[in-house]
């Protein structure tokens, strides 16, 4: 039987799923036994569990699209795919209710995940797309997004501007979920009314699972979701605590570990899938998926942090100290530049390079003053670039509640 390109054999699919499950077994076994691990081993074992659960969730979410349709499905599934990120970050916020020192880690994990998505994920998709075209002897000039993606850009723009309230007030206040959670709900409503987003062709494990008969496919999808969710809940707390303790025992900045290692583990499968889309000449799909993830993380995830803090016994406001204030401001500024870049629904190589270089600079210049300067650099570039994109603002405003220009189905 001839195999379809991009669709693995049944045996290969079984091996891949089995390998992902095997990666989660040590974490679950340790958790059930109640055994304690040294901080470094806890990070390794439970981090592998988080990575495995993220991979299983990604496959299940992609497979579920065979029974769903439209842009709403993509938005919902982008949310499902980053549940491990939510679990770790909300644990930090919950723990901060009884131990205020954990508040810093909640902000660190959230800002790291968001900056990683834009500063590394988007440029990686652009690079993969350029290499894929060169492989075919073609020369591309950038990634063109579908018209309905203007909804994502417009909703992210409003959230990005609102986000500056947090560093200005030095807290993620009780009013943040009041604004951002309904805003995300309205985003789902608006994207759900967009009928133009067609079902993209699945690749890899989801492609093989989607080819199963409907009953077996849905059972398999539900099983993967349930297994991954169980692993997420088993790993979130010990992984988060392991990161904090490892930083102390190894002499590494705990804030840095929480900010970059945890998001890297939870976001890796999504980034890999987006890059694979681009490599298969579907860069618009890959970048669109990461854009939708950015919207839900910069609205729903941020909005849920004060709620988790309150449920953990803290107040309705999650406080930010100086370092977290700088990190949130920097992340908001990066988001503003990202929004302006995508106003024209095109992501060019130069823009991708700028986003990556600015992301990398923060590691070369980690000081507080450098963070402040970089924040203003992001905002300055956004203002400069906006002068060439002012004509797109009316269309973006209309995307919040009206017709999407260039989309005959909306």
């Amino acid at each position: 039987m001839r195999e379809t390109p991009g669709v693995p054999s049944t045996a290969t699919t079984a091996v891949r799923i089995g390998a992902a499950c095997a990666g989660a077994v040590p974490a679950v076994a340790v958790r059930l036994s109640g055994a304690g691990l040294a901080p470094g081993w806890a990070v390794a074992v439970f981090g592998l569990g988080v990575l495995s659960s993220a991979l299983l969730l990604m496959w299940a979410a992609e497979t579920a699209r065979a029974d769903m349709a439209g842009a709403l499905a993509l938005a919902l599934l982008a949310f499902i795919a980053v549940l491990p990120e939510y679990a770790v970050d909300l644990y930090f916020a919950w723990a901060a209710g009884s131990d205020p020192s954990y508040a810093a880690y909640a902000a660190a994990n959230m800002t790291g995940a968001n900056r990683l998505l834009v500063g590394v994920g988007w440029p990686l998709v652009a690079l993969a797309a350029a290499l894929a075209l060169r492989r075919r002897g073609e020369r591309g000039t950038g990634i063109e997004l579908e018209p309905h993606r203007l909804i994502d850009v417009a909703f992210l723009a409003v959230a990005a501007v609102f986000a500056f309230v947090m560093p200005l007030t030095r807290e993620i206040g009780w009013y943040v979920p009041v604004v951002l959670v309904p805003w995300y709900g309205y985003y789902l409503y608006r994207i759900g009314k967009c009928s133009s987003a067609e079902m993209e062709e699945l690749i890899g494990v989801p492609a093989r699972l989607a080819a199963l008969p409907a009953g077996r496919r849905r059972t398999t999808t539900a099983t993967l979701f349930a297994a991954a969710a169980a692993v997420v809940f088993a790993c979130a707390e010990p992984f988060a605590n392991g990161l904090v303790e490892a930083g102390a025992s190894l002499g590494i900045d705990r804030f840095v570990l929480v900010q970059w290692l945890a998001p890297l583990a939870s976001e890796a499968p999504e980034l890999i899938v987006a890059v694979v889309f681009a490599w298969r000449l579907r860069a618009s799909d890959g970048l669109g998926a990461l854009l939708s993830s950015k919207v839900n993380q910069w609205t729903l995830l941020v909005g849920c942090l004060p709620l988790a803090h309150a449920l953990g016994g803290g107040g309705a406001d999650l406080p930010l100290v100086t370092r977290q204030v700088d990190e949130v401001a920097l992340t908001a500024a990066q988001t503003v530049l990202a929004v302006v870049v995508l106003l024209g629904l095109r992501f060019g190589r130069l823009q991708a390079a700028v986003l990556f270089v600015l992301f990398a600079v923060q590691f070369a210049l980690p000081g507080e003053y450098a963070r402040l300067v970089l924040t203003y650099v992001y905002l300055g570039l956004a203002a400069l670039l906006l002068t060439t994109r002012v004509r797109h603002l009316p269309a973006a405003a209309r995307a919040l509640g009206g017709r999407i220009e260039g989309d005959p189905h909306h």
Side-chain angles (χ1 to χ4, degrees), residues 43 84-111 235-245 254-263 301 304-310 312-314 318-319:
V43 171
E85 174 63 35
Y86 276 68
V88 173
D89 210 0
L90 293 181
Y91 168 73
F92 280 129
W94 176 83
S98 55
D99 183 352
S101 66
Y102 275 82
Y105 305 131
N109 198 50
M110 177 268 291
T111 55
C235 294
E237 179 181 351
F239 178 57
N241 287 328
L243 282 172
V244 175
E245 294 170 4
R254 288 171 288 185
F255 189 93
V256 172
L257 274 179
V258 170
Q259 186 171 37
W260 301 117
L261 186 57
L301 176 58
C304 285
L305 293 181
L307 300 178
H309 184 249
L318 182 64

Side-chain angles (χ1 to χ4, degrees), residues 184-205:
Y184 182 69
Y186 180 51
Y187 161 74
L188 292 181
Y189 168 76
R190 283 288 298 118
I191 208 76
K193 293 184 69 72
C194 179
S195 59
S196 66
E198 298 179 356
M199 170 74 177
E200 295 101 342
E201 178 188 357
L202 298 176
I203 58 175
V205 171

Side-chain angles (χ1 to χ4, degrees), residues 16 110 138 144 179 191 210 221 264 408:
R16 292 180 182 176
M110 177 268 291
E138 301 177 18
E144 301 289 340
V179 174
I191 208 76
T221 301
L264 188 61

Side-chain angles (χ1 to χ4, degrees), residues 253-349:
D253 190 329
R254 288 171 288 185
F255 189 93
V256 172
L257 274 179
V258 170
Q259 186 171 37
W260 301 117
L261 186 57
L264 188 61
S266 57
E267 302 277 5
E270 183 181 22
L271 294 178
I272 291 171
V273 169
V275 169
V276 170
F277 274 142
W279 182 249
R280 295 183 179 277
L281 302 177
R282 294 167 54 197
S284 178
D285 297 340
L287 183 59
L290 295 186
L291 175 59
S292 186
S293 291
K294 172 65 178 177
V295 173
N296 78 58
Q297 289 189 43
W298 201 231
T299 55
L300 187 61
L301 176 58
V302 175
C304 285
L305 293 181
L307 300 178
H309 184 249
L311 290 174
D317 303 321
L318 182 64
L320 299 173
V321 298
T322 301
R323 184 168 184 176
Q324 290 84 58
V325 169
D326 295 339
E327 295 291 341
V328 173
L330 178 58
T331 308
Q334 184 206 48
T335 305
V336 169
L337 178 58
V339 164
V340 175
V341 164
L342 294 185
L343 271 178
L345 295 179
R346 185 180 178 279
F347 189 53
R349 295 181 185 180

Side-chain angles (χ1 to χ4, degrees), residues 14 28 32-33 36 41 82 129 138 162 169 202 212 232 252 260 281 302 325 338 340 384:
V28 175
L32 291 177
S33 69
W41 281 106
V82 293
E138 301 177 18
F162 175 76
T169 59
L202 298 176
L212 295 172
V232 167
I252 303 173
W260 301 117
L281 302 177
V302 175
V325 169
V340 175
L384 183 63

